[in-house]
């Protein structure tokens, strides 16, 4: 399967980490970025499908063991993503940058910054 360069980068970063909270944190960000990128695309299925994707993401992330700063930020980011808009994606990605940099390193933070930039462009394009 082909993913974006951002999801590929997180997948590589996840594979490099040893099992534990940091690896789970990177995996959680990979899941979030996949959903976030889908939220930036036009959806023929409507808002209900988008909200279900975010709910599934919340459920999946709840079972992961994450570093505390990332867990707190991810909780807030998931609440923000419930709006399922490009602006919500931008806000969620932006608020995850500092804890991702602290717990997972600059590579993960750069991916989130890239997603936030893409979401900003998408939000401007939709008037949001």
């Amino acid at each position: 399967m082909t993913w974006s360069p951002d999801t590929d980068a997180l997948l590589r970063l996840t594979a490099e980490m040893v099992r534990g909270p940091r690896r789970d944190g990177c995996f959680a960000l990979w899941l979030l970025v996949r959903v976030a990128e889908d939220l930036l695309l036009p959806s023929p299925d409507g808002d209900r499908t988008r909200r279900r994707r975010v709910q599934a993401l919340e459920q999946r992330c709840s079972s992961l063991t994450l570093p505390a700063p990332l867990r707190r930020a991810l909780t807030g980011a998931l609440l923000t993503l419930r709006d399922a808009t490009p602006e919500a994606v931008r806000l969620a990605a932006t608020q995850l940058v500092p804890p991702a940099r602290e717990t997972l390193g600059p590579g993960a933070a750069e991916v989130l910054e890239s997603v936030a930039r893409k979401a900003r462009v998408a939000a401007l394009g939709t008037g949001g």
Side-chain angles (χ1 to χ4, degrees):
M1 176 167 220
T2 304
W3 289 305
S4 75
D6 292 331
T7 53
D8 282 344
L10 282 174
L11 192 60
R12 282 191 304 278
L13 189 60
T14 301
E16 293 170 3
M17 294 187 178
V18 296
R19 289 186 181 263
R22 292 184 68 226
R23 185 175 185 172
D24 280 0
C26 199
F27 179 66
L29 292 182
W30 179 76
L31 291 171
L32 181 133
V33 168
R34 287 186 56 209
V35 170
E37 289 176 339
D38 287 348
L39 293 176
L40 297 178
L41 299 173
S43 174
D45 301 325
D47 289 339
R48 186 173 184 187
T49 302
R50 291 169 175 260
R51 286 191 298 271
R52 284 185 183 168
R53 292 277 323 264
V54 174
Q55 287 173 340
L57 174 64
E58 289 175 12
Q59 190 172 26
R60 181 62 181 102
C61 288
S62 70
S63 66
L64 298 173
T65 304
L66 308 173
L70 188 59
R71 183 181 60 248
R72 287 188 297 270
L74 187 62
T75 299
L78 291 171
L79 289 173
T80 302
L81 274 182
R82 286 182 182 175
D83 289 343
T85 64
E87 182 60 16
V89 170
R90 186 190 68 77
L91 290 171
T94 300
Q95 73 187 55
L96 285 168
V97 170
R101 181 172 280 117
E102 176 187 341
T103 59
L104 304 175
E110 289 170 10
V111 168
L112 292 167
E113 289 168 343
S114 172
V115 170
R117 281 190 302 273
K118 291 175 190 174
R120 182 175 182 269
V121 170
L124 292 173
T126 62

